[in-house]
Amino acid sequence: LLEVAAASSSAAPSERLSGDGTDEAFATPPTSPEMAPAAAEARRGWAAIVMKGTSEPRSPGPRSPGGAIAEESPAAAADPKECAARLEAAGRLLEAVQRLCLVPRPTFRDALFFPHASALERLLALLRRAKFTIDVCVYCVTEERLVAALREKAAAGVAVRIVSDEDQAFNKGAAIFKTAAFAYTVVDEPLHEGANGRKAEGEREKRMHHKFCVLDHRILATGSFNWTGAASSRNCENILVSSEPKLVSARSSATDE
């Protein structure tokens, strides 16, 4: 079982987007820090199951020429405490192997840095990968090439949702109202804690300042990047791409809210 777990951990590749939009596979480290406790628990459980005549876990002894572990005496096998200890160890082993083999791992990993000649093309290639849904939650939207990519996916049947900030929507060059023609678009008003939702004296507005998008509820692109021409061509910005389930789920929930 441990050999199967190790093979599973090292064999599954991750992917990232290359500069031309194609996929590049690269090896995932076979043992990550978060998996180390599970691997150690699996080894302890295995040693406890094959132990002979004692309830204390220890390393398995040598095997017979046929590969089988030598059988222990009927008295030791019939000991209720011994049986209970082995059952408990077997349960620990099963849980550890499940954590090693069945925990979802990222499929996509990438980092985009702007301004760079290929960064925007890689972001556009990422958007074109969407098959079912695109959720965009961005403070400011003015970059026409990104809007065109969303329009293209909407025409292909992908459900597109966009949330943006109210004040930014009315800025010169803003494209957020254009997206309403093909996407479910929400312009989020600033939040206030005053009476009846009005701004209290001395209170600062709470803006919709997110900058992320989620594709097919499984791929997240998030960072400092606003969807603007300045961000793509002049500013120093970044986007991290990941399909880590916990990260994707958290951003999807934020979009729904």
Side-chain angles (χ1 to χ4, degrees), residues 62-116:
R63 295 172 178 265
S64 66
I69 300 173
E71 294 184 3
E72 59 189 54
S73 66
D79 184 353
K81 292 184 179 180
E82 182 75 11
C83 293
R86 293 194 179 201
L87 286 174
E88 182 180 356
R92 292 199 303 269
L93 173 61
L94 179 59
E95 291 177 0
V97 171
Q98 286 177 332
R99 291 198 299 272
L100 284 169
C101 299
L102 303 181
V103 173
R105 291 171 298 168
T107 304
F108 291 95
R109 294 172 180 167
D110 204 356
L112 312 181
F113 293 94
F114 299 82
H116 191 277

Side-chain angles (χ1 to χ4, degrees), residues 37-53:
E41 181 65 25
R43 294 188 183 95
R44 286 195 295 270
W46 173 252
I49 289 173
V50 300
M51 64 190 174
K52 293 173 58 179

Side-chain angles (χ1 to χ4, degrees), residues 101-177:
C101 299
L102 303 181
V103 173
R105 291 171 298 168
T107 304
F108 291 95
R109 294 172 180 167
D110 204 356
L112 312 181
F113 293 94
F114 299 82
H116 191 277
S118 69
L120 182 61
E121 290 304 318
R122 288 158 70 186
L123 178 57
L124 290 169
L126 181 67
L127 293 175
R128 296 187 187 109
R129 297 182 66 92
K131 294 179 173 59
F132 306 104
T133 63
I134 299 177
D135 289 339
V136 179
C137 206
V138 176
Y139 178 62
C140 185
V141 179
T142 65
E143 174 53 69
E144 290 291 346
R145 286 170 290 183
L146 291 171
V147 173
L150 294 177
R151 183 184 295 109
E152 178 183 311
K153 296 307 297 185
V158 175
V160 180
R161 301 190 302 175
I162 303 173
V163 181
S164 189
D165 182 74
E166 180 189 38
D167 281 358
Q168 292 299 314
F170 291 95
N171 281 353
K172 182 179 179 180
I176 193 64
F177 289 113

